[in-house]
């Protein structure tokens, strides 16, 4: 896409996987950035949609869907007025693989969830759950994560201990302003621009903050409205994240909790190893 549509597609290296950070193989974490670069002067303040996929290694379907979305927009840009409007006036940033080390483990038909950090546990139980490792509200919800290194929900020894999590946090703080105050009750302004979509599987759900309490978020009504509107397109079940199970240290904690950016999690499909 970058080679064939250089006006629309560029790549940004935002960091390293754990194995690459240790010099034992591994991968760069690449963000595919989509926007019409020739409209920058007409639209200097383009709102940003950040999408990341495959944080949990065994959730196969998330990356192919994100890539198909990118391909469709770019390849049909010349003939589709909606895609022209999106790419002329907005930026789409897609991290196709947040956990490439773990993905390679899952591709051996293993139900691998965590990253590949071999400092924690051993065998097929190594690693930290990247979606319990984000720094805001890390480890603060009873039952929301685990301090057992061999548990699938292991949150890591400290907040944002993993290079993959550090890379995403740093990138979000780079592309988004901080729109929310320091108190749990502080709402982001209604005119806050931007959005973060976290792609997971499975369950056919659309989720919004908070995941650690049944109390609605300060922007709860707006988040609920957004989630229900998105559910109109795919008939998924929309609910506050905690309705699935209690969580802490998840991706919405950095984008909405810290920065006040609307965050929506899609739980795609009906299986981890989803058929085409």
């Amino acid at each position: 896409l970058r080679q064939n549509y250089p006006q629309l597609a560029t790549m940004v290296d935002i960091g390293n996987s754990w194995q690459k950070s240790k010099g034992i193989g591994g991968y760069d974490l690449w963000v595919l950035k989509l926007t019409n670069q020739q409209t920058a002067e007409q639209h200097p303040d383009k709102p940003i949609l950040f999408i990341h996929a495959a944080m949990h290694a065994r959730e196969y379907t998330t990356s192919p869907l994100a890539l198909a979305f990118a391909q469709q927009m770019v390849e049909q840009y010349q003939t589709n007025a909606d895609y022209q409007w999106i790419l002329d006036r907005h930026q789409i940033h897609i991290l196709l693989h947040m956990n490439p080390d773990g993905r390679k483990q899952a591709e051996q038909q293993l139900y691998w969830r965590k990253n590949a950090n071999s400092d924690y546990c051993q065998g097929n139980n190594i690693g930290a759950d990247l979606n319990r490792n984000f720094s805001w509200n890390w480890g603060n919800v009873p039952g929301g994560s685990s301090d057992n290194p061999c548990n699938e929900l292991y949150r890591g020894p400290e907040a944002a201990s993993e290079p993959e999590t550090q890379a995403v946090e740093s990138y979000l703080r780079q592309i988004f302003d901080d729109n929310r105050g320091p108190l749990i009750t502080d709402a982001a302004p209604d005119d806050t621009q931007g959005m973060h979509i976290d792609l997971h599987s499975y369950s056919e759900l659309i989720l919004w903050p908070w995941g650690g309490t049944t109390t609605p978020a300060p922007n709860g009504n707006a988040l609920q409205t957004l989630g229900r509107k998105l559910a109109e397109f795919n008939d998924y079940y929309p609910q506050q994240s905690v309705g699935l199970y209690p969580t802490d240290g998840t991706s919405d904690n950095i984008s909405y909790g810290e920065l006040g950016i609307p965050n929506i999690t899609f739980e795609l499909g009906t299986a981890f190893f989803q058929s085409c």
Side-chain angles (χ1 to χ4, degrees), residues 18-276:
W18 182 84
Q19 289 179 339
K20 181 155 189 183
S21 73
K22 297 297 182 180
I24 52 174
Y27 301 88
D28 295 316
L29 301 183
W30 287 101
V31 165
L32 176 63
K33 180 180 175 182
L34 305 177
T35 191
N36 184 354
Q37 299 172 54
Q38 296 183 355
T39 61
E41 290 189 7
Q42 301 110 291
H43 307 289
D45 187 24
K46 295 183 180 183
I48 294 172
L49 168 62
F50 177 76
I51 301 172
H52 82 276
M55 177 154 49
H56 291 145
R58 64 194 177 197
E59 299 174 5
Y60 277 13
T61 192
T62 59
S63 288
L65 181 75
L67 180 57
F69 173 59
Q71 288 176 310
Q72 186 167 303
M73 279 198 300
V74 171
E75 293 173 355
Q76 298 181 25
Y77 172 81
Q78 294 295 338
T79 57
N80 186 303
D82 287 334
Y83 296 151
Q84 289 177 13
W85 178 80
I86 291 172
L87 293 177
D88 285 353
R89 296 172 178 265
H90 307 78
Q91 298 179 40
I92 315 293
H93 298 233
I94 305 176
L95 175 57
L96 293 167
H97 277 287
M98 182 179 169
N99 182 12
D101 296 344
R103 174 63 175 233
K104 287 301 180 183
Q105 299 295 326
E107 287 174 358
Q108 301 176 56
Q109 300 300 302
L110 299 173
Y111 275 160
W112 197 285
R113 176 182 172 93
K114 301 188 284 185
N115 71 353
N117 189 334
S118 59
D119 291 341
Y120 315 137
C121 201
Q122 54 189 312
N124 289 339
N125 295 313
I126 66 172
D129 182 348
L130 298 177
N131 208 31
R132 300 295 183 275
N133 188 241
F134 285 91
S135 57
W136 197 91
N137 203 38
W138 177 84
N140 285 339
V141 176
S145 59
S146 174
D147 60 1
N148 178 356
C150 296
N151 190 288
E152 280 199 331
L153 302 180
Y154 179 53
R155 57 180 172 258
E158 59 186 14
S161 58
E162 307 310 296
E164 297 94 344
T165 312
Q166 294 167 15
V168 172
E169 287 199 355
S170 176
Y171 193 65
L172 287 170
R173 292 176 183 131
Q174 174 187 331
I175 63 175
F176 292 123
D177 295 329
D178 188 344
N179 298 276
R180 212 176 75 81
L183 301 179
I184 192 75
T185 54
D186 288 336
D190 289 340
D191 59 356
T192 297
Q193 290 190 337
M195 185 175 177
H196 177 185
I197 292 177
D198 185 355
L199 294 178
H200 287 265
S201 70
Y202 62 96
S203 287
E204 297 189 332
L205 297 172
I206 291 177
L207 309 173
W208 58 83
W210 304 113
T213 175
T214 56
T215 301
N219 298 96
N221 287 338
L223 290 166
Q224 181 186 75
T225 300
L226 177 59
R228 289 177 172 177
K229 182 173 182 177
L230 292 170
E232 284 293 311
F233 290 95
N234 61 6
D235 203 30
Y236 280 12
Y237 184 75
Q239 64 179 11
Q240 188 172 322
S241 292
V242 72
L244 182 58
Y245 42 66
T247 59
D248 55 33
T250 51
S251 70
D252 59 316
N253 286 315
I254 175 68
S255 54
Y256 177 71
E258 179 181 324
L259 303 175
I261 301 300
N263 177 288
I264 294 288
T265 295
F266 282 77
E267 290 281 356
L268 305 173
T270 56
F272 288 135
F273 297 171
Q274 190 86 47
S275 69
C276 291

